[in-house]
Amino acid sequence: PGGFNIFSELFGSSYTVPATSSRVVSWTNGVMEFSGDGLSQGFANEVILKPGNQFGNASTNALTLTLKASDGSFSGKVTVPGTRTTLNLQGVLLQNQDMGAGYFLGTTNSGTLLLRAKE
């Protein structure tokens, strides 16, 4: 009867397809942070942006991440640390913010992910 109080933050970015020898973001070492969907706690995977704009996993749990350079979208899978649970993920690069954002699907809900430069 009282309705919902929901506050959301919205941001976006245009996307420019990089030249073959150019990077899609400015950094090489990054981190992908996962939160939500009933995870007992959030977690992060370190990633490396390799030549040819291919992402590699630099953490001990499994992560695959494939970039579609023609439109800046990415998809993949990650294993929740300490479990055998695999989450499917999708997102887009936001070049103006020099980061990526997206979501993953859990058993009953979805969670959020951020891909950014490692500090």
Side-chain angles (χ1 to χ4, degrees):
F4 296 94
N5 287 323
I6 299 174
F7 299 95
S8 296
E9 185 177 342
L10 179 67
F11 55 95
S13 176
S14 60
Y15 180 77
T16 303
V17 177
T20 304
S21 61
S22 297
R23 304 176 75 71
V24 291
V25 291
S26 69
W27 44 267
T28 300
N29 297 307
V31 62
M32 182 173 272
E33 301 168 330
F34 298 86
S35 62
D37 183 59
L39 294 172
S40 59
Q41 63 182 11
F43 66 95
N45 269 63
E46 293 184 17
V47 297
I48 299 170
L49 183 59
K50 300 176 184 178
N53 290 313
Q54 295 181 352
F55 285 98
N57 183 26
S59 292
T60 57
N61 63 309
L63 170 74
T64 58
L65 190 59
T66 303
L67 173 67
K68 186 176 173 185
S70 62
D71 65 8
S73 64
F74 58 84
S75 61
K77 293 182 180 191
V78 64
T79 301
V80 178
T83 73
R84 294 181 185 206
T85 303
T86 300
L87 304 171
N88 294 316
L89 62 94
Q90 293 188 6
V92 294
L93 292 177
L94 302 163
Q95 290 175 317
N96 291 346
Q97 291 85 2
D98 205 26
M99 63 176 281
Y103 68 95
F104 61 90
L105 298 176
T107 55
T108 59
N109 296 303
S110 63
T112 61
L113 65 87
L114 291 175
L115 176 62
R116 61 176 180 78
K118 181 180 173 184
E119 297 176 351

